[in-house]
């Protein structure tokens, strides 16, 4: 049977067509995805990396809520200019606790993978409330409402930490119990800044390429 | 053969909504484009803030406009190519309402800050479940109609629509796997680098099977119909189809060049992307040769003009894509406006234009009267062409500048330009892109008016009787 007559049968049988598409389209995915996703993503965290604290987690979830990641990447490529500009290139172990990953695909603003410690909290405060007060030509949006809301406005931090614990994050019951207290009196702005300051620290001293 | 036999009211309903979401999605696109020129025009309102509004833009154009247009044309063409009335029209109406409700609530949820942060899959878990259920309904309607067909071979356009339905279901389910924490927040089952590989397997193939494959289904039905020519080579279409389905899936990792994922995945993604040029262009050649016999009609018929121009942009985007997938090119293009230019040469030039052409074909047939104004459609054609060209050229200029300036080192090996200098240099390009968007949007408004006037002019007696009696 040559391929034309084989196709003659496939295109006359909806079941065969569906099966054919499913089969042919899943090969590539299985070869590429299975070896990667079947491993334990927590098995090789970068040295010194720890899961986010309650305040940092709140900040990360706010970074997601505001979709900061459509303008900012968190991925430094192993290119000389990039390492000069942003710091040591990114290693996969640094993202072991990232759910979801926030590497981004567009640099309308600079990479933030190693922003932690580069500026003071006060700089971030001024910058997030009005970027143009510190960088006059900035096209980044202002986020005044972050200062107006208290952190964990809807009281969901424990539910979130428990969900992550179920996915393998080593949060203890004590940490989860203490979470609301850790956020008490903090604003959303404090949380975002805590998150930004936590970024990239674990590999700061890593060798350059 | 009588047209009244078919279930076309649900086609009309999807078509109306596609036009509406196109308008709304493009207004959002124009607005985010303007925010990059005047960053304060979100007026301190969270829902208008760039991050949220940009996500609303992509969701509205891809899932509101794109998917509504695909479902409308799939339902229209599957009945005609199968010579039977739609299977389960009641379910088709349920799908219609469910999908539109999901888009309304989904867009609202994004503006309210619910997002999974996974590109083109931002809607949170309740929507993911609703989409999966709706998609099953789409599959039942579509394959149910095919199962009852009166002609033996399943026509080519239906292979592509079929691949759209099957593969997008697979991608959506795997990439959406997450554990909910609250109603509006879930955490991905995959973490870090694993999550990235899964996401771009999804992201690239959503582009592949929705924006490319689905719209190729549209091409394979409406191009030969409007050109009144048979498909040039049937064998070529078979080879191109299966090569397309096989190869596309491998190409996702070209979104992760030089990222913290294994090197072998990146290289495999690059090689497969280059191979992908062959089936992509095979389809383009098949389309061009099909229309070659209708050169005279091409000069006068707006629907055909749109479809053929779309084919040209399809050729451009599927040539540019493999070039961007080469690692040494991607070093410059990645993270820059070049990607945005590539996206919109596909999204505006290919997806939007072929949909417009198809709507100019469909609406007179659905309404039973000629198009309200051919002149208006011609004006739209030139606005759309100018808008797309200007958009793409501006983003090429911006992207290549960014790519070169960011990586440029001085004699001492230090970076030559600060990030903020390069950012400031983007302003003229952003302004040009805004103008391009306005031109494209203006054209779309003209189309909406033209189509609405055409519908308004239909003889009421034909449109009103229930479908059952007209059969
Ligand atoms: C042979 C066909 C194609 C190939 C190999 C291809 C390849 C690529 C590559 C290499 C990128 C850049 C990834 C990066 O550096 O981040 C990209 C981005 C993109 N392409 Fe294509 N492309 C193709 C066709 C198309 C078409 C027809 C469309 C239709 C609209 C399209 C839509 C997109 C989108 C939306 C993105 C942006 C993804 C993101 O958010 O980063 N592509 N493509
Ligand atoms: C009036 C027309 C349009 C304008 C002015 C416009 C504008 C924009 C802008 C400003 C962005 C954000 C770019 C950035 O972050 O740097 C964007 C992203 C995007 N737009 Fe549009 N858009 C238009 C139409 C469309 C249409 C019709 C589609 C799809 C069919 C589309 C698909 C996309 C996609 C997929 C992205 C994300 C690209 C990426 O992440 O790489 N757009 N658009």
């Amino acid at each position: 049977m040559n391929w034309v007559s084989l196709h003659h049968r496939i295109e006359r049988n909806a079941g065969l067509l569906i099966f054919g598409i499913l089969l042919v389209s899943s090969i590539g995915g299985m070869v590429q995805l299975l070896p990667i996703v079947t491993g334990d993503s927590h098995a090789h965290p970068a040295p010194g990396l720890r899961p986010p604290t309650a305040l940092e987690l709140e900040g990360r979830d706010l970074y997601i809520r505001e979709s900061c990641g459509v303008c900012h990447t968190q991925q430094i490529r192993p290119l000389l200019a990039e390492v000069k500009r942003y710091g040591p290139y990114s290693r996969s172990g640094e993202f072991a606790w990232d759910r979801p990953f926030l590497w981004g695909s567009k640099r309308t603003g600079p990479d933030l993978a190693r922003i932690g410690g580069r500026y003071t909290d006060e700089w971030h405060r001024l910058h997030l409330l009005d970027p143009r007060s510190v960088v006059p030509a900035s096209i980044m949006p202002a986020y005044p409402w972050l200062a107006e809301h208290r952190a964990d406005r809807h009281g969901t931090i424990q539910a979130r930490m428990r969900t992550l614990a179920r996915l393998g994050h080593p949060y203890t019951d004590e940490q989860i119990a203490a979470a609301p207290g850790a956020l008490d009196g903090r604003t959303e702005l404090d949380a975002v800044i805590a998150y930004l300051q936590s970024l990239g620290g674990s590999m700061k001293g890593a060798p350059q390429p | 053969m009588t047209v009244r036999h078919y279930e076309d009211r649900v086609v009309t309903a999807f078509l109306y909504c596609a036009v509406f979401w196109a308008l709304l999605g493009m207004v959002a696109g124009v607005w985010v484009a303007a925010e990059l020129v005047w960053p304060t025009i979100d007026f301190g309102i969270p829902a208008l803030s760039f991050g949220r509004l940009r996500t609303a833009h992509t969701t509205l154009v891809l899932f509101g406009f794109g998917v509504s247009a695909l479902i409308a044309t799939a339902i229209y063409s599957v009945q005609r190519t199968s010579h039977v009335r739609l299977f389960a029209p009641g379910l088709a109406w349920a799908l219609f309402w469910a999908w539109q409700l999901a888009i309304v609530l989904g867009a609202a949820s994004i503006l309210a800050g619910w997002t999974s942060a996974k590109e083109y899959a931002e809607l949170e878990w309740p929507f993911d479940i609703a989409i999966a259920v709706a998609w099953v309904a789409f599959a039942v309607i579509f394959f149910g109609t095919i199962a009852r067909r009166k002609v033996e071979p399943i026509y080519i356009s239906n292979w592509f629509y079929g691949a759209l339905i099957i593969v997008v279901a697979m991608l959506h389910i795997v990439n959406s796997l997450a554990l909910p924490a609250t109603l509006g927040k879930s955490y991905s089952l995959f973490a870090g680098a694993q999550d990235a590989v899964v996401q771009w397997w999804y992201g690239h193939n959503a582009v592949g099977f929705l924006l490319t494959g689905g719209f190729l289904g549209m091409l394979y039905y409406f191009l030969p119909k409007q050109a009144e020519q048979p498909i040039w080579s049937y064998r070529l279409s078979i080879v191109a189809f299966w090569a397309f389905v096989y190869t596309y899936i491998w190409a996702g990792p070209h979104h992760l060049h030089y990222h913290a994922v294994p090197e072998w995945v990146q290289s495999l993604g690059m090689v497969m992307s280059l191979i992908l040029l062959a089936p992509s262009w095979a389809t383009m050649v098949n389309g061009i040769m099909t229309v070659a016999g209708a050169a005279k009609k091409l000069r006068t018929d707006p629907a055909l003009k749109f479809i053929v121009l779309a084919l040209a942009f399809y050729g451009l985007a599927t040539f540019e894509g493999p070039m961007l997938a080469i690692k040494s090119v991607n070093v410059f293009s990645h993270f820059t406006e070049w990607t945005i230019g590539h996206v919109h040469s596909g999204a505006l030039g290919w997806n939007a234009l072929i949909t417009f052409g198809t709507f100019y074909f469909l609406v007179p047939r659905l309404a039973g009267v000629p198009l309200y104004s051919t002149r208006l459609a011609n004006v739209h054609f030139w606005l759309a062409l100018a808008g797309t060209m200007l958009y793409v050229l501006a983003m090429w200029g911006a992207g290549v500048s960014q790519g070169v300036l960011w990586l440029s080192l001085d004699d001492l090996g230090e970076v030559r330009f600060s990030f903020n200098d390069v950012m400031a240099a983007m302003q003229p390009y952003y302004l040009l892109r805004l103008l391009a968007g306005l031109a494209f949007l203006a054209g779309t408004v003209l189309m909406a008016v033209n189509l609405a006037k055409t519908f308004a002019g239909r003889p009421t007696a034909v449109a009103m009787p229930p479908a059952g009696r007209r059969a």
Side-chain angles (χ1 to χ4, degrees), chain A residues 70 105-106 108, chain B residues 26 29-30 32-33 36 50 54 57-58 61-62 65 119-120 337 339-340 343-344 347-348 351-352 391 433 437 440-441:
Chain A
V70 301
S105 67
K106 176 77 204 305
T108 308
Chain B
M26 286 181 202
V30 166
V32 286
L36 292 180
F50 184 91
R54 183 197 197 269
H57 164 59
T58 56
V61 291
L62 297 179
F65 167 58
E119 269 185 277
Y120 317 127
E337 307 293 342
T339 305
I340 306 299
V343 169
H344 287 85
L348 301 178
N351 301 129
Y391 195 125
R433 187 254 307 272
F440 199 88
L441 175 63

Side-chain angles (χ1 to χ4, degrees), chain A residues 105, chain B residues 119-120 200 204 207 211-212 248 254-255 273 276-277 280 317-318 321-322 324-325 330 333-334 339 342-343 346-347 350-351:
Chain A
S105 67
Chain B
E119 269 185 277
Y120 317 127
W200 284 112
H204 176 69
V207 167
L211 295 181
T212 311
Y248 230 107
H254 65 218
H255 292 266
S273 305
L276 196 52
L277 183 59
S280 302
T318 54
L324 294 179
N330 195 268
S333 72
H334 193 49
T339 305
H342 165 68
V343 169
W350 157 241
N351 301 129

Side-chain angles (χ1 to χ4, degrees), chain A residues 2-4 7-8 10-33 35-42 57 60-71 73-82 84-86 89-93 95-111 119 130 132 134-145 149 153 156-157 159-164 166-167 169, chain B residues 35-37 39-40 42 44-46 49-52 54-55 110 112-119 143 146-147 149 152-154 158-159 162-163 166-167 170 174 179-182 185 187-201 209 234-235 238-239 241-242 245-246 249-253 256-262 264-265 268-269 330-332 334-337 339-340 402 405-409 412-420 423-424 427 430:
Chain A
N2 67 21
W3 66 268
V4 177
H7 204 267
H8 188 85
I10 293 177
E11 70 185 33
R12 274 164 183 73
N13 184 327
L16 266 182
L17 184 67
I18 294 173
F19 177 73
I21 292 172
L22 208 54
L23 184 75
V24 171
S25 69
S26 51
I27 297 171
M30 290 207 264
V31 173
Q32 288 179 340
L33 293 190
I36 293 180
V37 301
T38 46
D40 177 5
S41 71
H42 301 151
L57 177 65
R60 188 174 200 275
D61 286 345
L62 292 168
Y63 183 97
I64 292 171
R65 184 186 78 188
E66 300 302 340
S67 293
C68 308
V70 301
C71 287
T73 56
Q74 294 187 17
Q75 183 72 201
I76 304 169
R77 296 177 293 170
L79 308 171
L80 190 54
E82 205 140 298
K84 288 266 179 199
R85 191 186 293 281
Y86 297 119
Y89 64 86
S90 297
R91 272 60 160 195
S92 67
F95 307 96
W97 309 113
D98 273 20
R99 289 181 198 271
F101 80 114
L102 292 173
W103 294 357
S105 67
K106 176 77 204 305
R107 276 186 193 149
T108 308
D111 188 273
Y119 297 102
D130 180 11
R132 277 151 295 284
V134 281
V135 181
S138 177
I139 53 169
M140 172 162 146
Y143 292 93
W145 56 89
H149 300 314
R153 198 154 36 123
T156 58
I157 187 68
R160 282 180 279 149
M161 288 176 81
R162 243 179 274 120
T163 308
L164 286 172
R166 221 168 287 147
L167 289 168
H169 288 221
Chain B
E35 286 183 346
L36 292 180
V37 183
T40 53
D42 59 11
I45 301 167
S49 176
F50 184 91
R52 301 190 192 192
R54 183 197 197 269
T55 310
I110 281 170
W114 289 18
T115 169
S116 72
K118 288 190 155 197
E119 269 185 277
F143 289 113
I146 287 187
R149 71 192 181 282
E152 256 209 277
I154 301 169
N158 294 326
W159 313 345
I166 295 165
V167 179
M170 172 172 88
V174 175
L179 207 57
T182 67
K185 179 74 195 171
Y187 291 105
S188 173
L189 222 54
F190 311 102
Q194 297 184 344
D195 197 32
V197 176
V198 173
Q199 154 63 25
W200 284 112
W201 168 77
F209 286 85
Y234 167 72
R235 288 195 174 203
I238 297 179
V239 177
F241 174 76
W242 290 104
V245 173
Y246 176 76
I249 289 284
W250 293 83
L256 297 170
H257 280 337
Y258 295 105
H259 287 218
V261 299
W264 65 267
V265 196
L268 204 54
N330 195 268
V331 157
F332 290 98
H334 193 49
F335 295 147
T336 72
E337 307 293 342
T339 305
I340 306 299
Q402 277 177 331
L405 298 180
W406 283 344
L407 295 186
S408 165
L409 297 175
L412 301 175
E414 298 300 325
V415 289
R416 196 189 293 267
F417 303 99
S418 78
F419 184 90
N420 290 345
M423 172 185 75
Q427 278 305 308
Y430 286 155

